[in-house]
Amino acid sequence: MNLNNNVRFSMMACKPLVSIFTPLLCALWLSTPAHALPSDKEQPIHISANSAQLDRKQRTATYSGDVKLKQGTLEISADRITIHTNNKDEVEKMEARGTPARYQQKPAENQATITAQANSIRYTLTDEHLLLLEDAFLEQENGASISGNRIDYDIRKEIMKAAGKNDAQQPQRIEIIIPPQTINQD
């Protein structure tokens, strides 16, 4: 494997608030990576980067420099992506770092693509968990979005948590945008 330029590697509280937030949260839950197109998991992972470091003992592969990862409809771009595998060489976790790192995937054939970005993105396949840290933002094609310092989504339990930044000097709150067509849908 050429570790220089262009490395290419393939491997397998209240009622009104509830009525407003329920459609958004349902929309976001239905559009998350766990519900990805079934064919995505069957596709090889294609990665291009400026350099790569493989550590067989730690079971990690780290790709650096304008990294692009694609598997079916899943696309991640970042300054650095680290892939962790188990004893069977199956991917367990992907970690992406960038300013920002970007994620996109089409959850199902009849659903819109979702996009996310953060300085750190961690997707754990074994427990179906997506974590966006530092300037986190998640959006659907219909315009529904959520942003904050941290977005933590347990896909199996269908629990999403978002938090701002608890900094006395520069506090940050979360922001949710619900487009009119989402609010009016039953």
Side-chain angles (χ1 to χ4, degrees):
M1 178 184 304
N2 179 357
L3 295 180
N4 293 326
N5 290 333
N6 296 325
V7 173
R8 294 203 180 275
F9 183 75
S10 294
M11 58 190 262
M12 318 243 81
C14 65
K15 191 173 181 174
L17 285 178
V18 170
S19 67
I20 290 173
F21 289 123
T22 299
L24 173 67
L25 292 176
C26 288
L28 290 173
W29 286 336
L30 293 174
S31 300
T32 56
H35 302 102
L37 287 173
S39 61
D40 282 357
K41 291 187 281 185
E42 299 166 5
Q43 302 297 316
I45 297 173
H46 297 275
I47 300 169
S48 66
N50 292 336
S51 64
Q53 179 178 338
L54 306 172
D55 185 333
R56 294 293 296 162
K57 285 186 179 184
Q58 296 297 315
R59 306 191 94 38
T60 62
T62 302
Y63 303 90
S64 301
D66 193 24
V67 185
K68 309 282 188 232
L69 179 147
K70 183 165 176 46
Q71 182 183 29
T73 66
L74 170 67
E75 294 181 23
I76 300 174
S77 61
D79 297 330
R80 183 180 73 229
I81 296 177
T82 301
I83 297 176
H84 303 261
T85 59
N86 62 19
N87 292 339
K88 297 177 186 175
D89 287 330
E90 298 166 333
V91 176
E92 288 186 335
K93 177 173 54 175
M94 296 181 190
E95 297 175 311
R97 296 272 317 156
T99 50
R102 299 177 192 279
Y103 165 96
Q104 115 175 4
Q105 188 167 32
K106 185 172 178 74
E109 201 63 49
N110 62 346
Q111 293 181 347
T113 299
I114 62 164
T115 59
Q117 67 180 41
N119 291 343
S120 176
I121 298 173
R122 184 181 314 146
Y123 179 54
T124 309
L125 286 75
T126 53
D127 63 358
E128 298 181 43
H129 187 256
L130 180 66
L131 180 63
L132 306 170
L133 297 171
E134 302 172 30
D135 295 323
F137 178 78
L138 183 90
E139 180 179 40
Q140 293 182 272
E141 284 182 348
N142 70 356
S145 68
I146 186 167
S147 62
N149 192 55
R150 176 185 179 102
I151 299 172
D152 189 348
Y153 186 64
D154 184 325
I155 298 163
R156 281 190 187 151
K157 295 179 182 176
E158 296 184 353
I159 298 171
M160 182 182 300
K161 300 175 187 174
K165 191 175 186 180
N166 280 339
D167 184 348
Q169 301 294 323
Q170 190 177 13
Q172 178 192 23
R173 295 168 46 95
I174 64 167
E175 183 175 321
I176 299 170
I177 299 173
I178 306 168
Q181 69 270 19
T182 304
I183 295 170
N184 295 328
Q185 291 177 352
D186 288 329

